Amino acid sequence: MKKIKLKDIDTRAPKSLDKQETKEELAKILEGLDELQNLLYAEGKHSILVIIQGMDASGKDGLTRDVFTSMNPQGVNVYSFKEPTQHELAHDFLWRVHQNTPAKGMVQIFNRSHYEDVLVTRVHGMIDDKTARQRMQAINNFEQLLTEHNDTHILKFYLHISPEEQKKRLEERLSEPSKMWKYNANDFKEAKLWDNYMGYYEEIFDKCSDIPWHIIPADQNWYKSYLVAQKLEELLKSLKMKYPGMKK
Amino acid sequence: MKKIKLKDIDTRAPKSLDKQETKEELAKILEGLDELQNLLYAEGKHSILVIIQGMDASGKDGLTRDVFTSMNPQGVNVYSFKEPTQHELAHDFLWRVHQNTPAKGMVQIFNRSHYEDVLVTRVHGMIDDKTARQRMQAINNFEQLLTEHNDTHILKFYLHISPEEQKKRLEERLSEPSKMWKYNANDFKEAKLWDNYMGYYEEIFDKCSDIPWHIIPADQNWYKSYLVAQKLEELLKSLKMKYPGMKK
């Protein structure tokens, strides 16, 4: 498979795409997702794990809001990975992740994920290359476990924004009262490490590709949400689910 | 490596071994274990996972009592695996196991373990051979994860009793008031499946041997406890642990 080079991938929608039409298309997909998720829950055979990765301000929270509020919250969980606690650090790096994997019938969204353990940790020199490679192998094994042994279908999204768009959004956090709560003193420092992050992301796309990554152009929120909703619909439809009959 | 054939392995101590001397030796080891475990806890670098497998009445509970009560309970946990709940069955088979792996500094004992998921399930035709082999591969990956990513040292014990000794012990459960609570109506039915269990155990010893199995002759409790305590001491001493200095 050809290696993913983020620089070669556009962060915006094709010019030919009409924003209004795409938004209407998205609304239609979301309507259908509600029904498909109900079926997933009722059948209780499969589970869905949606992994959302991306740089600060790439729109991870917004995506969750835009796409997944269309589903019955009883069947959807969101887990936002923060810095691990002392208690979590006393275990292997996948321990806390495993506790949050989806039960059958459920949709689980990871806002950030185990991939941070081979990203932020590398950028800040907390782990060496050898450990990172071992972790990536462990991640492949772990994702295989979920896939083979719990019918978990994993969707991996990278929200691809440009550094310029990121800068604009981070500055908004300083000026717009509704966004200030998101501001973190480290954001601008982290942004300077852009190229390092891109390099480590590309290595992940290469080494953890048994389950493929979807690179989502994310400078425009409407296009990003549309693409993710589409992938989700495609997956759910492919499962050929049926409502179970009466319990015997 | 030569395949383990349980029929070729004695279930009793060598005739030459003196019971009284061995018990005194065991007492000495247990004294030392207390100190070694304190060091493990203080240093907080390694963790120990002790997996105890064996047929019904092979002395798993007794082993836990005899060997591990010598340690500070603050640093030791025992988890007894029962039939999985509906909630647990809605996840992959290692999900509930992962939640009970040891934190750094801790000793975790599994009374039964994830190996039941390729034993009792096979004997009763709940999974097919292909699934069993996939599970054994997943188990190897999982044990590697713990080893590589949390300095978890895994000791795997199979308590090897003879069918005759098992029969004797199961009958005691029917007649001795102190043992009656252990009686389970299925015990004698399960005992009839002895050869099936042995075959699946041998396959486990073969396919899940990255971390080796210790086959412990277990018809005599004193010998069984002595051997396990010795292995545990050997492992703890090999870690070259040191008390950490003052926190900076």
Side-chain angles (χ1 to χ4, degrees):
Chain A
M1 209 178 67
K2 232 185 110 211
K3 283 195 186 178
I4 289 172
K5 281 274 159 210
L6 287 171
K7 275 200 175 154
D8 299 342
I9 301 174
D10 211 331
T11 56
R12 301 181 66 83
K15 287 258 179 342
S16 60
L17 204 73
D18 185 82
K19 180 173 170 178
Q20 202 46 46
E21 273 174 32
T22 307
K23 280 183 144 181
E24 282 161 26
E25 186 59 33
L26 170 61
K28 249 185 260 170
I29 295 176
L30 292 183
E31 253 185 67
L33 279 183
D34 183 37
E35 177 66 17
L36 282 164
Q37 182 250 329
N38 198 35
L39 193 49
L40 180 84
Y41 189 82
E43 198 191 40
K45 266 178 67 178
H46 305 276
S47 57
I48 310 287
L49 176 59
V50 180
I51 295 174
I52 308 175
Q53 283 288 154
M55 299 292 282
D56 286 336
S58 59
K60 298 181 289 296
D61 296 347
L63 177 67
T64 304
R65 196 181 51 236
D66 289 352
V67 174
F68 296 95
T69 42
S70 67
M71 294 176 162
N72 183 346
Q74 194 184 302
V76 181
N77 281 319
V78 182
Y79 191 84
S80 293
F81 285 89
K82 310 284 177 201
E83 264 187 58
T85 64
Q86 283 306 109
H87 180 57
E88 289 166 346
L89 282 173
H91 292 85
D92 69 83
F93 75 104
L94 292 173
W95 183 79
R96 66 175 185 153
V97 182
H98 210 162
Q99 289 177 39
N100 291 289
T101 54
K104 288 195 174 75
M106 297 291 289
V107 177
Q108 176 73 49
I109 296 141
F110 281 179
N111 185 337
R112 302 190 187 272
S113 67
H114 41 288
Y115 286 102
E116 290 297 327
D117 295 296
V118 285
L119 278 166
V120 62
T121 48
R122 294 188 86 181
V123 170
H124 293 284
M126 292 148 76
I127 60 168
D128 62 15
D129 289 349
K130 191 182 159 220
T131 305
R133 278 190 297 269
Q134 284 178 327
R135 284 190 179 188
M136 286 189 273
Q137 182 56 49
I139 286 173
N140 287 337
N141 293 338
F142 176 67
E143 292 181 355
Q144 189 187 4
L145 167 73
L146 303 182
T147 305
E148 282 186 359
H149 297 278
N150 202 41
D151 284 314
T152 301
H153 304 267
I154 305 177
L155 285 170
K156 305 200 279 200
F157 296 108
Y158 172 72
L159 306 190
H160 182 41
I161 56 168
S162 62
E164 297 73 29
E165 179 66 23
Q166 189 200 39
K167 188 160 177 279
K168 203 186 94 191
R169 294 185 188 180
L170 290 179
E171 282 166 358
E172 279 172 5
R173 291 186 182 174
L174 289 176
S175 56
E176 285 189 29
S178 71
K179 291 182 177 173
M180 282 179 183
W181 64 276
K182 288 198 155 197
Y183 174 73
N184 179 316
N186 281 321
D187 286 351
F188 287 95
K189 263 191 231 164
E190 286 294 301
K192 286 188 186 146
L193 301 165
W194 188 272
D195 289 342
N196 300 19
Y197 272 104
M198 292 304 110
Y200 291 133
Y201 261 118
E202 285 173 355
E203 194 174 334
I204 286 171
F205 301 150
D206 183 40
K207 294 219 168 63
C208 298
S209 60
D210 295 347
I211 296 163
W213 281 89
H214 302 287
I215 311 299
I216 304 292
D219 277 1
Q220 299 140 297
N221 286 324
W222 57 273
Y223 187 51
K224 166 194 76 176
S225 293
Y226 166 71
L227 289 178
V228 169
Q230 204 184 36
K231 291 286 170 206
L232 187 63
E233 182 193 40
E234 192 182 297
L235 167 64
L236 286 168
K237 283 190 171 168
S238 77
L239 301 181
K240 312 252 172 262
M241 299 178 287
K242 279 181 200 154
Y243 281 104
M246 282 283 286
K247 273 192 186 159
K248 276 163 205 164
Chain B
M1 210 178 66
K2 230 185 109 209
K3 284 195 186 178
I4 289 172
K5 280 272 158 212
L6 286 171
K7 275 202 175 152
D8 300 342
I9 301 175
D10 211 331
T11 56
R12 302 180 65 81
K15 287 257 174 351
S16 61
L17 204 75
D18 184 81
K19 179 173 171 177
Q20 202 46 47
E21 272 175 32
T22 307
K23 280 184 142 181
E24 281 161 26
E25 187 57 34
L26 171 60
K28 249 185 262 169
I29 295 176
L30 293 183
E31 253 186 68
L33 279 183
D34 183 38
E35 178 66 16
L36 282 163
Q37 182 251 329
N38 199 35
L39 192 50
L40 180 85
Y41 189 81
E43 198 191 42
K45 266 178 67 178
H46 305 277
S47 56
I48 310 287
L49 176 59
V50 179
I51 295 174
I52 307 175
Q53 282 288 154
M55 297 291 282
D56 286 337
S58 59
K60 299 182 289 294
D61 296 349
L63 176 67
T64 304
R65 196 181 52 236
D66 290 353
V67 173
F68 296 94
T69 43
S70 67
M71 295 177 161
N72 182 344
Q74 195 183 303
V76 182
N77 281 318
V78 182
Y79 191 84
S80 294
F81 285 88
K82 311 284 178 201
E83 265 187 57
T85 63
Q86 282 306 107
H87 182 56
E88 288 166 347
L89 282 172
H91 293 85
D92 69 83
F93 75 105
L94 292 173
W95 183 80
R96 65 174 185 155
V97 181
H98 210 161
Q99 288 178 38
N100 291 290
T101 54
K104 288 195 176 73
M106 298 292 288
V107 177
Q108 176 74 48
I109 296 142
F110 281 179
N111 184 339
R112 302 190 187 272
S113 68
H114 40 287
Y115 286 102
E116 290 296 329
D117 294 296
V118 285
L119 277 167
V120 62
T121 47
R122 293 188 87 181
V123 170
H124 293 284
M126 292 148 74
I127 60 169
D128 62 17
D129 289 349
K130 190 181 160 223
T131 305
R133 278 190 296 270
Q134 285 177 328
R135 284 191 178 188
M136 286 190 271
Q137 183 55 50
I139 286 173
N140 287 338
N141 293 338
F142 177 66
E143 292 182 356
Q144 189 188 5
L145 167 74
L146 303 181
T147 304
E148 282 186 359
H149 298 278
N150 202 40
D151 283 315
T152 301
H153 304 268
I154 305 178
L155 284 171
K156 306 200 278 201
F157 296 109
Y158 171 72
L159 305 190
H160 181 41
I161 56 166
S162 61
E164 296 74 28
E165 180 65 24
Q166 190 200 39
K167 187 158 178 280
K168 203 187 94 191
R169 294 184 187 179
L170 290 180
E171 282 166 358
E172 279 172 7
R173 290 185 183 176
L174 289 177
S175 55
E176 285 189 30
S178 71
K179 292 181 175 173
M180 280 179 185
W181 65 275
K182 288 197 154 199
Y183 173 74
N184 181 315
N186 280 322
D187 286 350
F188 286 95
K189 260 191 233 164
E190 285 295 301
K192 286 189 187 145
L193 302 165
W194 188 272
D195 289 342
N196 301 20
Y197 272 105
M198 292 306 109
Y200 291 133
Y201 261 119
E202 285 173 355
E203 194 174 334
I204 287 170
F205 301 151
D206 183 41
K207 295 219 168 62
C208 298
S209 60
D210 296 346
I211 295 163
W213 281 90
H214 301 287
I215 311 298
I216 304 292
D219 276 0
Q220 298 140 300
N221 286 323
W222 57 273
Y223 187 50
K224 166 194 77 176
S225 292
Y226 167 71
L227 289 178
V228 169
Q230 204 185 37
K231 291 286 169 206
L232 188 62
E233 182 193 41
E234 192 182 297
L235 167 64
L236 287 167
K237 282 189 172 170
S238 76
L239 301 180
K240 312 255 172 260
M241 298 178 287
K242 280 181 198 152
Y243 282 104
M246 282 282 288
K247 274 193 186 157
K248 276 162 206 164

